[in-house]
Amino acid sequence: MDLIPDPRHTWPAPQGTDPFPLDDGTTIDAGPGTEGVARWFRTAVGAATGLPLADGAEDGNSVALGISPELERRLGPEGYRITSDARAVRIEGGSPAGVFWGAQTVRQLLGPDAYRAAPVDPGRLWSVPATVVEDAPRFGWRGLMLDVSRHFMSKDGVLRYLDLLAAHKLNVFHFHLTDDQGWRIEIKRYPKLTETGAWRGRTKWGHRASELWEEKPHGGYYTQDDIREIVAYAGERHITVVPEIDIPGHSQAAIAAYPELGNSDVVDTAALTVWDTWGVNANVLAPTDHTLRFYEGVFEEVLALFPSTFIHVGGDECRKEQWKDSAAAQLRIEENGLANEDELQAWFIHHFDTWLTARGRRLIGWDEILEGGLAPGAAVSSWRGYGGGIAAARAGHDVVMCPEQHVYLDHRQAAGEDEPMPIGYVRTLEDVYRFEPVPADLTEDEAKHVLGTQANVWTEVMQDRSRVDYQVFPRLAAFAEVAWSDLPAPAERDFEDFEQRMAEHYRRLDVLGVEYRPPGGPLPWQRRPGVLGRPIEGQPPVV
């Protein structure tokens, strides 16, 4: 049936069973709790087919949606079962989310044209093959992180990516909203964060070693109503939006807006502007009471906008030179009995772990938050390899596995010279398909702390939507199957079967207008000749 992700079990209908006809008389019978799924199905599939798909009881020629406590007990809340025959398509789930994932599978069964925004053949006869599908995800956290700080993506672009996540049964959108190169979320009590911090004067073109510049201002931000819209849109698709406000490093855009946030006893923070190049920036937040109160104010508004239990605080790549030279930072170290600057960063993270916990939320950060002692309730995004995640899981902390060597989709997809602005290791479609999120050296109990996995997309060399598409797809389809399906060990995975199913999936992506990297290599307009990247040769280490 060419489904992606591959479901756990499928059974063909008895020989001679006719498919289910989707036509003008088809109704949707939405059981309690499934009304949102019915609304989505009517909007998405109704647009593609031109069919009304009106409300109606299950009395033949209906798509019946229901929540099954038995399925929840057996498959979990996101599990689902589809039963399709000539009379009805029944989609049952362990929760509304399970029903929604089942509806996504039915859309795939209808064929690529079911992804269109309007019917291309009004007289077409639509049908769902007679079958039984029973399915459930391996992981509860199946995520994509999108960096909109380095290159801003419009609200419409974000909504489009939420639809693409939903089509691949991914359920976490990690929204990287702040960095040195731009602050992207409106904070009403601190208007300069977007008035000043959302815009830079120019942009490095290619890797930071490139001599090329795009000599025009770049920026943008999401109003609080934009954020509410994005969160609601994601919620209707059973996707959790996890916001990231990066502290204490990656903060030059905030310091450019409010210079008192920086280490002004060491550098002239009033002279700083939003950073226009790439790399790890030395301008980090000052560990002062004023900075703590300022970011508490930021997080108060963030919590009001994002219902997510997890709030991401970054915590990565915080350079310590300014703290070493700052009398104020050294006094803070002395006052708190800290050993060094690493423990000062841990103190900073601990403060917000306690602050978020008191408000019923959980802090999650990049694996550098392990340095100097891990905050007691914190979870870890393990990005520098598996090592941080292994250490955190063994210490009883929850982990999201996203090692850069394997699932950073900004890394190049082939070794050829035509790859645009090539960054990092070669990670092919097959490489991503053979990625294993749970390290073999974790015990069974330790492995229970692996919440799931996430692919990350850093946009330094992705200046627009088409470049993001090129880097993300088709590899996100392979990642989605790794995150959802109960696959064998990496060496035993049937990549040939996956490739065969991808032949149909490319047609779906074509209809959706996804500008993916073709299997044969980049198209002429996808190349960026003469723009310097930073390729790394050889196989990535397993660390």
Side-chain angles (χ1 to χ4, degrees), residues 241-427:
V241 183
V242 176
E244 181 180 353
I245 305 296
D246 215 332
I247 56 174
H250 288 291
S251 297
Q252 182 161 321
I255 297 168
Y258 292 92
E260 66 272 20
L261 296 174
N263 296 284
S264 55
D265 59 343
V266 176
V267 296
D268 181 7
T269 55
L272 295 177
T273 59
V274 177
W275 211 24
D276 56 14
T277 189
W278 321 125
V280 182
N281 192 305
N283 291 296
V284 302
L285 297 175
T288 63
D289 288 342
H290 174 77
T291 300
L292 297 181
R293 301 292 89 77
F294 184 97
Y295 273 87
E296 287 170 0
V298 169
F299 280 116
E300 282 178 7
E301 295 193 27
V302 168
L303 297 193
L305 294 168
F306 294 92
S308 168
T309 299
F310 286 98
I311 302 296
H312 208 291
V313 300
D316 61 316
E317 298 180 325
C318 179
R319 290 172 58 175
K320 308 298 194 301
E321 298 96 328
Q322 290 184 1
W323 288 351
K324 290 180 186 293
D325 295 337
S326 166
Q330 292 303 310
L331 181 60
R332 178 68 80 179
I333 289 173
E334 182 181 343
E335 289 174 342
N336 288 276
L338 306 174
N340 51 36
E341 290 76 19
D342 285 343
E343 288 195 6
L344 181 59
Q345 178 172 347
W347 168 86
F348 203 104
I349 298 298
H350 283 200
H351 175 87
F352 285 99
D353 176 63
T354 301
W355 190 91
L356 288 167
T357 299
R359 289 155 180 78
R361 307 298 183 97
R362 289 187 66 190
L363 179 147
I364 186 168
W366 302 112
D367 55 53
E368 284 94 333
I369 68 172
L370 290 161
E371 298 167 1
L374 187 60
V380 168
S381 299
S382 189
W383 78 273
R384 290 181 294 181
Y386 290 104
I390 291 171
R394 286 177 174 166
H397 294 271
D398 290 336
V399 178
V400 176
M401 285 293 186
C402 49
E404 65 166 328
Q405 302 88 349
H406 306 285
V407 288
Y408 268 33
L409 300 185
D410 39 296
H411 283 212
R412 58 193 173 130
Q413 303 183 62
E417 294 183 1
D418 287 337
E419 290 303 311
M421 305 188 202
I423 299 295
Y425 295 101
V426 171
R427 293 286 87 194

Side-chain angles (χ1 to χ4, degrees), residues 52-380:
L53 302 174
D55 289 326
E58 185 182 355
D59 57 359
N61 198 7
S62 62
V63 176
L65 311 176
I67 295 172
S68 165
E70 183 272 331
L71 270 180
E72 182 180 20
R73 286 191 297 272
R74 191 160 54 83
L75 296 176
E78 292 188 282
Y80 67 88
R81 181 182 178 92
I82 298 168
T83 307
S84 175
D85 56 33
R87 287 182 50 80
V89 174
R90 299 174 184 84
I91 308 173
E92 297 176 288
S95 70
V99 179
F100 181 73
W101 304 130
Q104 289 286 352
T105 298
V106 169
R107 193 184 191 188
Q108 287 198 18
L109 292 171
L110 284 166
D113 282 343
Y115 291 82
R116 295 194 181 277
V120 295
D121 180 4
R124 174 173 176 167
L125 300 177
W126 293 87
S127 64
V128 179
T131 189
V132 176
V133 178
E134 195 169 273
D135 199 9
R138 179 186 179 190
F139 293 111
W141 185 301
R142 307 179 303 279
L144 177 75
M145 188 228 70
L146 181 64
D147 163 25
V148 296
S149 295
R150 274 48 177 267
H151 279 102
F152 180 66
M153 181 178 284
S154 71
K155 181 193 68 178
D156 287 347
V158 172
L159 299 180
R160 172 179 177 265
Y161 257 83
L162 290 170
D163 279 328
L164 291 171
L165 263 64
H168 291 84
K169 299 186 174 71
L170 298 172
N171 68 343
V172 175
F173 180 60
H174 175 168
F175 207 7
H176 183 81
L177 287 163
T178 73
D179 218 296
D180 299 303
Q181 296 86 358
W183 184 285
R184 304 293 179 219
I185 177 173
E186 177 189 27
I187 302 297
K188 289 186 180 295
R189 73 188 69 185
Y190 305 128
K192 291 182 183 177
L193 286 172
T194 47
E195 290 172 3
T196 299
W199 306 93
R200 60 178 181 262
R202 63 175 186 169
T203 299
K204 177 65 73 172
W205 182 244
H207 181 255
R208 61 180 177 271
S210 168
E211 297 181 355
L212 303 176
W213 294 88
E214 187 176 35
E215 295 285 355
K216 66 178 183 180
H218 177 87
Y221 66 92
Y222 310 100
T223 68
Q224 293 201 355
D225 279 346
D226 291 337
I227 294 291
R228 293 184 183 96
E229 181 181 357
I230 287 166
V231 169
Y233 195 85
E236 289 176 351
R237 286 147 183 80
H238 299 275
I239 296 169
T240 299
V241 183
V242 176
E244 181 180 353
I245 305 296
D246 215 332
I247 56 174
H250 288 291
S251 297
Q252 182 161 321
I255 297 168
Y258 292 92
E260 66 272 20
L261 296 174
N263 296 284
S264 55
D265 59 343
V266 176
V267 296
D268 181 7
T269 55
L272 295 177
T273 59
V274 177
W275 211 24
D276 56 14
T277 189
W278 321 125
V280 182
N281 192 305
N283 291 296
V284 302
L285 297 175
T288 63
D289 288 342
H290 174 77
T291 300
L292 297 181
R293 301 292 89 77
F294 184 97
Y295 273 87
E296 287 170 0
V298 169
F299 280 116
E300 282 178 7
E301 295 193 27
V302 168
L303 297 193
L305 294 168
F306 294 92
S308 168
T309 299
F310 286 98
I311 302 296
H312 208 291
V313 300
D316 61 316
E317 298 180 325
C318 179
R319 290 172 58 175
K320 308 298 194 301
E321 298 96 328
Q322 290 184 1
W323 288 351
K324 290 180 186 293
D325 295 337
S326 166
Q330 292 303 310
L331 181 60
R332 178 68 80 179
I333 289 173
E334 182 181 343
E335 289 174 342
N336 288 276
L338 306 174
N340 51 36
E341 290 76 19
D342 285 343
E343 288 195 6
L344 181 59
Q345 178 172 347
W347 168 86
F348 203 104
I349 298 298
H350 283 200
H351 175 87
F352 285 99
D353 176 63
T354 301
W355 190 91
L356 288 167
T357 299
R359 289 155 180 78
R361 307 298 183 97
R362 289 187 66 190
L363 179 147
I364 186 168
W366 302 112
D367 55 53
E368 284 94 333
I369 68 172
L370 290 161
E371 298 167 1
L374 187 60
V380 168

